[in-house]
Structures are given as C-alpha cells and as structure tokens.
Amino acid sequence: MILQALNDYYIRRQRSSDPRDRLPAFGLEEKEIPFVIEIDAEGRLVNLADTRTIEGKKKVGQGFLVPQGVKKASGIAANLLWDTTEYVLGVDTKGKPERVALQHAAFRARLASLPPDVLSDAGIQAILSFFNGFDVLQFEALAVWPDVLLINPVMTFRLHGDVELVCQRPAVVAAVALIADDAIADGTCLVTGKAAAIERLHTAIKGVWGAQTAGANIVSFNLDAFSSYGKAQGANAPLGKPAVFAYTTALNHLLARGSRQRIQIGDASTVFWAEEAHDLETALPDLFGDPPKDEPDRGTDALKVLYQAAQSGKFSQGTSSTRFHILGLAPNAARIAIRFWETAPANELAQRIAQHFDDIRIARAPHDPEHLSLFRLLTSLAVQGKADNIPPNMGGEVMRAILQGLPYPAPFLNLAVQRSRAEQKPTYARAAVIKAALNRIIRRANLTASRPQREFQTMLDQTNANPAYLLGRLFAALEKIQEEASPGLNATIRDRYYSAASSTPVVVFTTLLRLKNHHLGKLQKGRAVQMERLIGEIIGELDDFPRNLALPEQGRFALGYYHQRQAFFTKTELANNQEESK
C-alpha cells in the first residue's frame, strides 16, 4: 500500500497544470551538478562553470534534470552524459589509474551506444569532438581545478550559449524516454496490476537521516536467504519499471533537502502527502518541527489553523475526506526500515493531532513558547538535552500514538519522570509530557472503569485529592516559603530533596515540615499565615505520607509540584501588574 500511495502521488504531481510542480518524467532524475563543462560547437573547451552556492557551511551544486543514473555497487557502470570527474574526463583523483581508465571507457561507450539519429545531434557531436581532442592541460589552468581533483565532483556538458544541458536537448530526452519504455513485459506489476518489465534493482532512496550517503533501499534482495522459489533480486517482489521509477522519484523528492513535506522525529525521517493538494501537506512541519529563528510564531500560527480546521472540518485547500499519508523511515544497515505508516482522512488526522496538542497544553511562564514541537518534547527527555541521546525508537512510537490516537509509549512518561528526578526539576516540556501521558492512560482506563478518574487540568487543580499530586503541591509550597525567607538563595530544598521527596516521601517530608517553621518565622505575619493556611489545606487532604511512590505516581508528584509553582508565579505576576497600574 505504501508503494501504491507513492506511485499515486507521482501521478498526481505529473498531472499538475503547473510545470514547476511536476516531478521528473520517466527515465529522468534531478541531480546536483556542481560543475558544467562548457564547450563550443567544435568541441573546444570554453569554461568549467562552478554552479555551487553556499548553504549553511556547505557548497551545494545546482539541481538539473538528467537521465536517470544507473545502480552502482563495486563494479563499473557509467551514467549517460553525466557522472563523476573520473568517469567523464578519465582523470585519476584517488590513485587508481587502471580503474579510472576503465570508468572513462565505460562513459564513452555509453555515449556511443545512443541511436544514430541522436548521435547526429549538434550537442552530442560537440562532445565527441571534445573527447577526440581532449587535453587535461586545458583544465589545469583553471582556478577551480584543484577543487575538482580534491572532491571528484559530478559534472556534465553544455554548449556555450545554451541554457539547457546537452543531456536535456530534445533528441536526448526523447531517446531516454524511448529506451525506458522499450523494455519487454515479463511479469505483472504488484503496484499497478498490469503487465510490465520487472525492475531487477530498485533506485536507491536518499535523504533518510543516518542511512548511507549513497542511498539505501526499501525493496532489496541481496542474499539467497531473502529469495523464494529460485527467483533473483527484484523478481521476488515484482514491480514494473514505471512503478519503481514513480515510487522512488516521489519518495526522493519528499526526502530532498529543503522539502516542506518532511520532518525529523528522533531517528525517523518522516514524510507526508495527500491524494490531492492539501493544507496539511505544508502545515505538519510547522506543527511538529521547531520554528525557524526568524519566524518564532510559525508553529503557533499553524496550531491555530489546525484547531479551526479540526472544529469546522473545512480546509482552504483540499477537503476533510482527502486521504492523507504519513510515512516514517529509519536506517537499517544498507536498507531502510519502515518505522510507522498511517493513512487516514484529513479531518480525522487533524482531530488526532489537535488532541495531542490539547494533551500537552499546560500552564507556562510568559517566556515559554505556546507551541511545543515534538523535537523539543523529545530532547527534554534526553540526557543533556541532546538529540543524539533520544532513544532510537522513541520518536516513531510517539508519532504513531499521535496519529492513531493511542496512549503514548510507556518510556515517554518514564523518561520524563526520570529526567525530572535526575535534574531535580520538572521543566515546562517534561511537565507537558507527564500530563499528556497520564491523561491518555486515564482516558483509556475510563472506557471500562465503573468509577472514572479525573483527568489532569492545564492549570492547578485544587480539588484533585490524589496523594502524589498533593505531595508535589506541598513540596512546592515548602520551597516557596524557603525562597521568600531567604531571598537570593542559590540552592533550595528542590536541589537537595526533590528526588527523594518524589520517590520516598515519608523519609523527607517529616524533616521538611520541621524546617519550615524556622522559615515561616522570617516572613511577614500576614504572608506567614497565608502560607501556613495553604500547607494546612494540602495536608488536610492527606491521610499519611506514603513509604514510596511508583513511577506513575512520581509523575503525578511532578505535575502537582509544577502546577503549584506556576500558580505562585501567576499570582506574583498579577500582584505586580496591579501595583504598576496604581
């Protein structure tokens, strides 16, 4: 079904009325070409054009439509009219002159194999003349030549004065299409159900984070153990050449650098598309990814549009019933693993995504962003906040839970609690994770429970009598008393006692309650009475201090602590604003 959906997406893009929206036609691909050899009609070298521009810290070549490249492994196989410097010019850059000579011979043989009417094209004739009179000394005088020898870049040809490359000339493109269509049907394609020439080796998929830079495959059979009934390679999953071209071209386009239809979620490179042009195709990166520094409100704006669409079922582009597809890919040696795959009507998907953002919404400080990206949630659970330390499967499992409306994976809550204990603080992002994970657990349990539990609110819930939640509130109140009693204190009871208080309350709270009397004595009488009353209200709901708290209860403790701290902060801000308005 995945390959069928990608094949349909390719067909959809090819039918676009705007030529700029169309993907490469059968037999062509878009390729970064850093250098273009410009020659005149007689084959004389005019220039070696450097098409590279600086993107970030890298120099990136301009993209051109060229004949589709051949599948390369350890052997020698040349592309038509474009390839690396060693293939095109026969110049050794790695100290293997014998192999380079064979590569260059293969490149020229591929050129000579073109039909006679194509060989008579002015561009092809110019290239043949160029090779007949080739002299590497012409290139050595060029300023960019040292770069060429260093990186062995991809290059191709263009007639001086032309805009198109030689490989883009009408005669060449027509010949490529004819060759691609001329294969004899020898099987039935699993994607289209039609008779077709079965592709032996599928085009590599590039752009999956962590996979081989040369690309990897979704469909691949390179050992006898993977084969059936004596069939070799692609015959084990018979796909016609047009279908293979379509799904690989579509997927490489979705994964390409700068694509607005992909995001990175942990180790899962995630792409999404619809059966027709749709708002969600470009909204998902803003919803789940971090906003760019120059547009910090992009995620918040996308969230508002999502809520409106989820409530009304209306989109400015596309319909509520449009089928939407989301695919998560992860590296797996020389192959690509399917981390998750979800397909659903757009409105249903929008409602599930909106539910996720409802679940993670929690009270926050003014400087905290309203929109919490999935990347930020995941890094808040990682050691040192580094993306490299996110557990391998976590991103994909969380995304699956969001898209299918399921409870979040257990490690999502566990890691949020553990990192809060390790760093002695439930941060905004961790508190959001804990609230969301607990509420989904409660929501599922309530489906069969005779006495439904209450879900946790966005802000402080003074009516919540859960012991762990109350203990978290109590700890926050005791810390607040200490802070007000000793302004400018570098470390509070949180830095020393949070971990123990959240796991073994009976060991810690008796000591903390005894110490709080000393701190209360330093406060103004009215404030001391106010804080004493708050502590009394919280303790009045507790029967006793538990000996220990299980991990989910530690999550409730963290949530109670966070909610109470935010409530203190909100009251302080309100008092300051009232004072300023007088």
Side-chain angles (χ1 to χ4, degrees):
M1 186 173 180
I2 296 174
L3 303 188
Q4 288 175 327
L6 286 167
N7 181 72
D8 291 343
Y9 177 70
Y10 174 81
I11 294 172
R12 174 200 135 189
R13 292 294 297 267
Q14 289 306 95
R15 290 173 178 171
S16 173
S17 58
D18 187 348
R20 294 172 297 181
D21 287 341
R22 297 174 191 162
L23 298 181
F26 187 30
L28 301 177
E29 70 169 296
E30 186 164 343
K31 185 74 177 178
E32 288 179 8
I33 308 288
F35 291 93
V36 176
I37 303 170
E38 295 188 346
I39 56 178
D40 63 18
E42 283 72 40
R44 294 185 292 257
L45 177 66
V46 176
N47 186 30
L48 181 59
D50 187 348
T51 73
R52 297 175 298 173
T53 56
I54 297 177
E55 292 185 12
K57 297 181 180 179
K58 294 183 177 180
K59 287 185 176 182
V60 179
Q62 183 180 341
F64 294 92
L65 275 180
V66 297
Q68 189 175 22
V70 297
K71 185 85 174 183
K72 294 191 179 185
S74 58
I76 294 173
N79 295 316
L80 179 62
L81 291 169
W82 66 273
D83 217 309
T84 62
T85 302
E86 293 183 334
Y87 271 96
V88 176
L89 298 179
V91 176
D92 179 27
T93 64
K94 300 176 184 176
K96 298 180 179 179
E98 295 84 3
R99 179 179 174 83
V100 171
L102 294 175
Q103 289 174 328
H104 182 58
F107 183 82
R108 295 183 65 169
R110 183 80 189 274
L111 179 64
S113 68
L114 288 170
D117 58 328
V118 181
L119 287 173
S120 63
D121 180 84
I124 301 298
Q125 284 295 309
I127 295 175
L128 294 174
S129 299
F130 168 81
F131 282 135
N132 290 334
F134 175 71
D135 185 355
V136 72
L137 295 177
Q138 301 174 77
F139 288 91
E140 292 177 353
L142 301 174
V144 295
W145 189 243
D147 262 9
V148 172
L149 294 178
L150 181 65
I151 62 177
N152 187 29
V154 172
M155 54 177 54
T156 189
F157 293 89
R158 177 168 55 201
L159 285 181
H160 183 59
D162 284 357
V163 174
E164 62 187 7
L165 304 175
V166 173
C167 62
Q168 295 173 332
R169 292 172 70 86
V172 177
V173 172
V176 169
L178 184 63
I179 293 170
D181 282 332
D182 205 26
I184 299 173
D186 56 354
T188 301
C189 176
L190 289 177
V191 169
T192 64
K194 299 177 181 178
I198 302 304
E199 185 65 86
R200 188 175 68 90
L201 297 175
H202 294 204
T203 304
I205 304 300
K206 300 180 180 180
V208 175
W209 180 81
Q212 296 179 357
T213 54
N217 290 94
I218 293 177
V219 180
S220 173
F221 301 88
N222 63 341
L223 293 174
D224 291 341
F226 307 144
S227 301
S228 301
Y229 300 104
K231 295 180 179 179
Q233 296 178 326
N236 288 276
L239 297 176
K241 290 179 180 291
V244 171
F245 177 84
Y247 95 76
T248 56
T249 300
L251 190 50
N252 278 322
H253 168 76
L254 292 168
L255 288 165
R257 184 191 297 113
S259 170
R260 286 282 293 146
Q261 290 174 245
R262 73 157 290 172
I263 49 175
Q264 191 66 38
I265 301 173
D267 71 334
S269 298
T270 306
V271 294
F272 28 84
W273 68 96
E275 292 178 344
E276 61 179 346
H278 204 281
D279 291 345
L280 285 182
E281 283 187 325
T282 52
L284 287 190
D286 296 333
L287 289 169
F288 289 114
D290 265 350
K293 293 182 179 179
D294 56 342
E295 293 184 69
D297 295 329
R298 183 185 286 182
T300 304
D301 295 340
L303 197 53
K304 292 176 182 176
V305 173
L306 174 72
Y307 280 127
Q308 292 173 0
Q311 291 170 4
S312 67
K314 296 179 180 179
F315 299 88
S316 60
Q317 189 176 32
T319 67
S320 61
S321 60
T322 299
R323 205 78 188 164
F324 203 87
H325 310 289
I326 301 181
L327 175 64
L329 303 171
N332 181 18
R335 291 180 176 80
I336 295 172
I338 306 298
R339 185 69 77 210
F340 56 87
W341 163 249
E342 180 65 18
T343 178
N347 191 50
E348 185 177 322
L349 199 62
Q351 290 175 352
R352 292 175 186 172
I353 296 172
Q355 181 64 63
H356 162 73
F357 284 103
D358 282 340
D359 287 339
I360 65 172
R361 185 185 296 113
I362 195 166
R364 59 187 176 87
H367 61 271
D368 287 323
E370 179 183 352
H371 169 256
L372 272 173
S373 69
L374 186 52
F375 177 78
R376 181 164 180 172
L377 293 177
L378 292 172
T379 52
S380 74
L381 313 182
V383 177
Q384 299 179 328
K386 293 183 178 180
D388 291 345
N389 294 330
I390 298 172
N393 298 338
M394 177 67 75
E397 291 304 310
V398 172
M399 193 66 174
R400 186 201 305 276
I402 294 170
L403 299 177
Q404 297 181 358
L406 301 173
Y408 296 104
F412 198 49
L413 172 61
N414 297 352
L415 285 175
V417 172
Q418 290 168 3
R419 293 315 308 162
S420 296
R421 286 183 53 191
E423 298 181 17
Q424 309 282 0
K425 184 179 182 181
T427 61
Y428 169 43
R430 289 180 199 137
V433 169
I434 292 170
K435 170 182 172 283
L438 288 174
N439 277 354
R440 291 211 174 188
I441 293 172
I442 292 170
R443 202 172 298 145
R444 168 159 284 202
N446 284 347
L447 294 175
T448 56
S450 57
R451 297 181 61 185
Q453 301 180 55
R454 293 181 57 182
E455 294 186 17
F456 289 98
Q457 305 300 310
T458 301
M459 303 182 71
L460 176 66
D461 183 2
Q462 294 180 330
T463 64
N464 191 321
N466 178 272
Y469 186 80
L470 290 169
L471 287 171
R473 290 183 59 199
L474 179 60
F475 190 78
L478 294 173
E479 182 187 27
K480 182 66 173 174
I481 292 171
Q482 182 191 29
E483 288 175 340
E484 293 187 7
S486 306
L489 197 64
N490 290 329
T492 67
I493 58 172
R494 186 198 73 211
D495 300 287
R496 183 175 179 183
Y497 292 107
Y498 178 88
S499 179
S502 65
S503 55
T504 55
V506 70
V507 176
V508 174
F509 275 99
T510 51
T511 301
L512 294 180
L513 287 171
R514 189 168 58 250
L515 291 175
K516 65 93 174 157
N517 294 324
H518 170 71
H519 295 137
L520 281 173
K522 297 181 180 181
L523 300 181
Q524 293 181 356
K525 186 175 181 180
R527 181 59 171 165
V529 170
Q530 187 182 34
M531 295 303 292
E532 188 79 70
R533 185 182 300 118
L534 174 61
I535 289 175
E537 290 173 356
I538 296 173
I539 293 180
E541 296 290 332
L542 289 168
D543 295 330
D544 198 0
F545 293 117
R547 185 176 299 276
N548 52 60
L549 294 178
L551 197 139
E553 296 304 304
Q554 292 178 32
R556 290 174 168 83
F557 179 97
L559 206 52
Y561 171 83
Y562 180 85
H563 273 161
Q564 188 65 64
R565 289 291 299 178
Q566 290 299 314
F568 285 141
F569 180 84
T570 302
K571 290 177 181 178
T572 303
E573 281 291 298
L574 181 61
N576 291 339
N577 292 338
Q578 290 174 344
E579 191 68 29
E580 291 175 2
S581 63
K582 291 181 180 178

